[in-house]
Amino acid sequence: MIKRLFLFVLVCVMHTAMYAQTDTQSKAQMVFSNDFHDASGQLGNLTAHFITEKTWTDMNGEIGAIVRIKVTGMSVSEMSKLKVIGSANASVHDTQFLENEQEWIVPLSKGTNMWLEMSHPTYGKSTRLSLPKLKEKGMYDVTLVNNRTTTIVVHSLPDGADVYLDGNHHGKTPCDISEQRFGKHDLKLMYGSKTKEVKIDVEEGHTFFDDFDFRERRNINIISSEDNTTIYIDNQLIGQAPIHNYEVLVGPHTFKAIHTGSKGYNDTQIDEQTIDISSQTEIKLYPIKKGNVQVLTRYAGKPVYAELVVDNKDKYTSEPSYKVNLPYGTHSFRVSYNGKSKEKFINVNKPEQTQVFKLSAKNDVVWPWQREYDIAPVGFSLAYVYKQLVTTGEGQKLKENGVWPDGKGKTLKGMQAGLHFQPCFKFGLGLYTGLFYELYVSTSKKYDYDMFIEHCAYVPVHLYYRIPFGRKVALSVHGGLGFNYVIHGAFSAKDEDIEDYTDFYEEDGFPKKFNMAMEVGAGLRLGAFQLNFQYGKGLNDHKSYRSQGDFKTIQNKYTFGVSYMFSAE
C-alpha cells in the first residue's frame, strides 16, 4: 500500500513538472531548437582561434566540454545582453559572445543530467535545454531562436515602390508588415527599373525603415558673375562658386548667390532665383543689389486691389498691396483700377521703400464722400471773434458786452488761435473738434479802470459732414456743442495808485466763467487754406440780472477765420 502511494505521488510530481516545463516553453519567446549535435569535427578551427587548454578546464579543475550556441531572430546588440544559466553540475563559467559569428561559447563540465537556459532583460528566460552525456573535450552545437515578432513599417520617396522581405512580396510603400521576427532580414524595394537592397536588423525601437529615395537626381555646375560668391540652395549653404558636379533632385530649387564687396555689408549684392532642374545642368547667377518696393494704390481715397505692371512686363493682380524685389536702378510702375491708371518711374536705391499711387475718381459717377480727399486733415486757425451778452425777460431784451456799465459797445471783440481736427469716418460724416485760445481786449476813458483783458480756452465737439470737389477742395458743415472757460479776466487801472480789479467773473451782476453753447459752422477749403464761419447760441444762464427780476442772460458768439491745412497722409 505504501509503495503504491509513493508511486502515485511520484507520477503526479513528474506530471506537474512536465506540464510546467511545457507551459514555460509555450510562453517563452526564446526557444532552443532540437538540432543539438556533436560538432567535434570543427574543434581544430575553434582551438586555433578561441580555445586554450584553460578553456576546457571546468570550475573543479577537470577537463570539460564546450557548447556553442548560435542565436537567430535577434540583433547583435540584443544578443550581447544574453546571460547563460546552467545547472549546478554544469559548472558554467567564462562564457564568451563572438559578435562576428553571432554565437555564444559556453565552457562547462563533462557528464550527464545537466541543463542550460538563457535569459534576456526584455524577452525573459528561454526554454530549458536538457544536455545529453557530454564527453571530455567534446564540442556541441545548438541554436537559440527568438520567436518574438513585431510590425515593421517601410516608406519610400516617392510612394509606390514594391516591397520584398526575405524574398516575399508584401505590397507597395507605404507598407506595414506584421508578425516579423526580431533579428536580421533581407529587404528589397523596386521602383520602376530602380532597385535598392539592404539588410535590416529588427529590434526594439527599430522597426521603421525609410531610407529609400528613388527620386531622380542630376549633377549640376553653379557659376557666378562675381568672384568670392557664396552659394545657397534652398537656404542651405553649399560653398563658394564655382561649384562642379553637385547632385540635386530634379525639380524646382531656390538658388541664391551672395557677393560681399570690399566695402563690407553695405556693398552686399544678392541674386536669388527659383530654377526647375530638369535638363538644365549649368546655373549662372548674377549677384546684384536689390531692394523691395511696397506698392499701394488708393482710389477715391481708399485702398483698392489694383493691377500692377513693372517695367512693362511683370504683372501682379488681386492683392491690396505688392512687395516687388528689383535690382537697383530706375524702373517703371503702372497701376490700373476701374479704368484709371497712373505710371511712375521709381529709382530703387535702398533696401526698403514704399510708393503710394492715388487714382482720382472725379470723372466718375460716385457719391460725394467717395471722391479722393485728405482722410483726416488738420488746420491751424486764426480768427476774429466777438461775443455778446443777451438778457431777456419781463418783455425786455438787452444786448451788451457785459464789461462797461454805460453800454458802450454791444459786443466784446477778440482774436482766436488754435488747431482744429476734422477726421471723416464714413459716408462723409466725421468729427470736428480742436483746442483754441481766445484773447479779448476792450478800453474805455470814462472810468478809473480804462482797459479790460480776458483769456479763454475753447473746445468744440461737433458732428461734421463734408462734400469734396477735389483732393483739397471741399465744402463742410458742422454743428454741436462748444465749451468756453475764462482762465483770467480783469480791469486795469490807469492810475498806479488804484489796484487792478480781478474779481470780475462769478460776482453778482457779472457773467460766469463757464459758457456752453449750441453751435453751427461751415468751412470752404481751397487748396492749403480753409475759410471758416461759426455761430454759437448760449445755453447756460449767466444770471447777471437775476437779482432784479425774472431775467435770463446768455452769451452768443460769432467767429470768422482762416486756417492753414496740413495733410494727414
Side-chain angles (χ1 to χ4, degrees):
M1 183 63 181
I2 295 177
K3 289 184 179 180
R4 287 181 182 180
L5 181 60
F6 175 76
L7 289 174
F8 175 76
V9 172
L10 180 62
V11 168
C12 290
V13 171
M14 292 178 64
H15 177 76
T16 301
M18 291 176 61
Y19 177 80
Q21 183 175 2
T22 302
D23 186 59
T24 301
Q25 291 183 6
S26 65
K27 292 181 179 180
Q29 294 179 339
M30 298 182 297
V31 179
F32 279 105
S33 64
N34 56 3
D35 63 342
F36 188 90
H37 62 279
D38 191 333
S40 300
Q42 303 176 20
L43 178 59
N45 180 46
L46 286 172
T47 303
H49 291 86
F50 309 109
I51 301 173
T52 64
E53 285 297 323
K54 185 178 179 181
T55 305
W56 293 107
T57 305
D58 64 13
M59 297 178 68
N60 299 318
E62 298 180 358
I63 301 299
I66 289 178
V67 174
R68 182 170 57 181
I69 304 174
K70 284 278 188 182
V71 185
T72 63
M74 191 181 298
S75 67
V76 174
S77 61
E78 295 298 316
M79 292 179 192
S80 64
K81 299 176 184 178
L82 289 167
K83 182 179 179 181
V84 183
I85 304 171
S87 58
N89 58 342
S91 301
V92 175
H93 67 287
D94 296 333
T95 59
Q96 302 177 51
F97 175 60
L98 307 181
E99 183 175 320
N100 293 335
E101 304 297 329
Q102 297 181 25
E103 63 186 17
W104 280 84
I105 301 298
V106 183
L108 69 173
S109 301
K110 63 181 179 179
T112 59
N113 298 324
M114 294 181 289
W115 53 264
L116 291 178
E117 289 178 350
M118 300 197 80
S119 67
H120 189 277
T122 301
Y123 310 140
K125 283 187 177 183
S126 71
T127 57
R128 179 170 291 184
L129 175 65
S130 296
L131 300 175
K133 181 178 180 179
L134 303 183
K135 59 185 179 181
E136 185 177 298
K137 288 193 176 183
M139 173 66 67
Y140 304 90
D141 280 346
V142 70
T143 303
L144 180 70
V145 180
N146 182 19
N147 286 328
R148 188 176 183 189
T149 63
T150 188
T151 297
I152 67 173
V153 180
V154 184
H155 280 208
S156 69
L157 287 173
D159 291 339
D162 286 290
V163 179
Y164 295 86
L165 184 67
D166 298 328
N168 298 316
H169 185 252
H170 289 272
K172 295 180 179 293
T173 56
C175 181
D176 293 0
I177 308 174
S178 61
E179 297 183 359
Q180 296 304 309
R181 290 197 307 177
F182 281 47
K184 290 192 177 296
H185 296 268
D186 293 321
L187 180 60
K188 179 172 74 173
L189 272 70
M190 298 180 66
Y191 188 85
S193 60
K194 298 179 180 178
T195 301
K196 290 183 179 290
E197 295 185 65
V198 295
K199 288 189 178 294
I200 61 173
D201 216 347
V202 177
E203 59 182 327
E204 197 75 40
H206 189 216
T207 59
F208 185 84
F209 304 94
D210 64 347
D211 191 20
F212 302 98
D213 193 342
F214 294 97
R215 293 175 295 178
E216 185 179 355
R217 287 171 164 77
R218 191 177 302 279
N219 288 329
I220 61 171
N221 299 322
I222 306 172
I223 59 177
S224 170
S225 61
E226 304 291 336
D227 295 333
N228 302 318
T229 300
T230 304
I231 304 298
Y232 292 80
I233 300 180
D234 299 329
N235 292 322
Q236 180 179 354
L237 175 63
I238 302 303
Q240 295 284 324
I243 297 174
H244 298 287
N245 294 323
Y246 187 82
E247 186 180 77
V248 296
L249 292 170
V250 172
H253 296 274
T254 300
F255 294 83
K256 181 163 66 176
I258 300 180
H259 171 72
T260 303
S262 58
K263 295 181 182 179
Y265 178 79
N266 293 329
D267 198 34
T268 298
Q269 300 173 342
I270 300 175
D271 182 22
E272 186 168 346
Q273 301 180 36
T274 299
I275 301 174
D276 193 346
I277 302 300
S278 53
S279 59
Q280 191 169 354
T281 59
E282 183 170 275
I283 308 298
K284 188 166 185 179
L285 302 173
Y286 302 86
I288 56 177
K289 287 184 179 179
K290 288 187 177 182
N292 290 320
V293 181
Q294 185 83 18
V295 179
L296 303 99
T297 305
R298 288 180 178 165
Y299 178 80
K302 294 184 178 180
V304 293
Y305 286 66
E307 177 183 280
L308 170 66
V309 178
V310 179
D311 294 332
N312 295 317
K313 59 179 182 179
D314 297 322
K315 187 174 181 180
Y316 305 86
T317 59
S318 302
E319 293 292 338
S321 66
Y322 304 97
K323 180 175 281 190
V324 186
N325 186 254
L326 295 168
Y328 276 22
T330 301
H331 300 268
S332 68
F333 291 75
R334 184 176 70 253
V335 299
S336 303
Y337 178 79
N338 203 24
K340 301 292 180 69
S341 64
K342 180 176 287 189
E343 185 171 10
K344 290 183 183 181
F345 288 91
I346 299 172
N347 183 24
V348 180
N349 57 6
K350 51 187 176 181
E352 302 284 341
Q353 60 178 293
T354 300
Q355 292 290 330
V356 180
F357 288 76
K358 299 177 181 179
L359 300 178
S360 175
K362 64 183 179 180
N363 296 326
D364 296 340
V365 179
V366 296
W367 292 103
W369 57 80
Q370 291 179 316
R371 296 190 180 105
E372 183 179 5
Y373 191 74
D374 279 357
I375 296 175
V378 178
F380 174 72
S381 176
L382 287 174
Y384 173 74
V385 58
Y386 66 90
K387 60 184 179 179
Q388 184 179 65
L389 291 178
V390 179
T391 302
T392 57
E394 300 182 1
Q396 302 181 53
K397 186 173 185 178
L398 175 64
K399 297 181 179 181
E400 58 183 340
N401 60 33
V403 175
W404 306 110
D406 60 358
K408 178 184 182 322
K410 295 183 181 299
T411 60
L412 187 63
K413 302 175 180 63
M415 297 295 294
Q416 181 191 81
L419 292 173
H420 61 85
F421 310 93
Q422 43 196 63
C424 200
F425 305 122
K426 199 170 185 180
F427 305 121
L429 293 172
L431 176 69
Y432 178 90
T433 187
L435 179 63
F436 298 87
Y437 163 73
E438 295 178 351
L439 172 66
Y440 296 90
V441 179
S442 183
T443 60
S444 177
K445 297 181 180 180
K446 294 183 180 181
Y447 307 99
D448 292 337
Y449 297 99
D450 61 347
M451 179 179 289
F452 176 79
I453 298 178
E454 178 181 300
H455 305 276
C456 288
Y458 167 62
V459 176
V461 181
H462 295 179
L463 288 176
Y464 172 80
Y465 180 76
R466 72 168 177 230
I467 304 175
F469 301 103
R471 186 173 179 277
K472 293 186 178 181
V473 179
L475 176 65
S476 61
V477 293
H478 50 90
L481 294 177
F483 304 93
N484 268 92
Y485 185 79
V486 177
I487 301 171
H488 178 75
F491 289 97
S492 297
K494 55 186 176 182
D495 191 340
E496 295 181 358
D497 295 334
I498 302 175
E499 293 183 1
D500 293 342
Y501 183 75
T502 60
D503 296 330
F504 174 68
Y505 282 97
E506 304 295 341
E507 295 293 315
D508 290 340
F510 292 97
K512 305 297 182 184
K513 286 188 174 184
F514 175 74
N515 185 71
M516 181 172 66
M518 179 61 70
E519 299 175 333
V520 293
L524 176 62
R525 182 176 179 183
L526 300 169
F529 296 94
Q530 178 173 295
L531 302 176
N532 305 303
F533 165 76
Q534 186 171 293
Y535 167 71
K537 184 177 180 61
L539 296 177
N540 60 305
D541 187 0
H542 286 260
K543 303 179 181 180
S544 299
Y545 295 94
R546 178 59 61 89
S547 62
Q548 300 178 29
D550 187 15
F551 296 100
K552 180 179 180 180
T553 302
I554 62 172
Q555 178 181 285
N556 298 335
K557 187 170 70 172
Y558 298 85
T559 306
F560 302 90
V562 62
S563 300
Y564 182 80
M565 306 299 292
F566 300 92
S567 174
E569 301 175 3

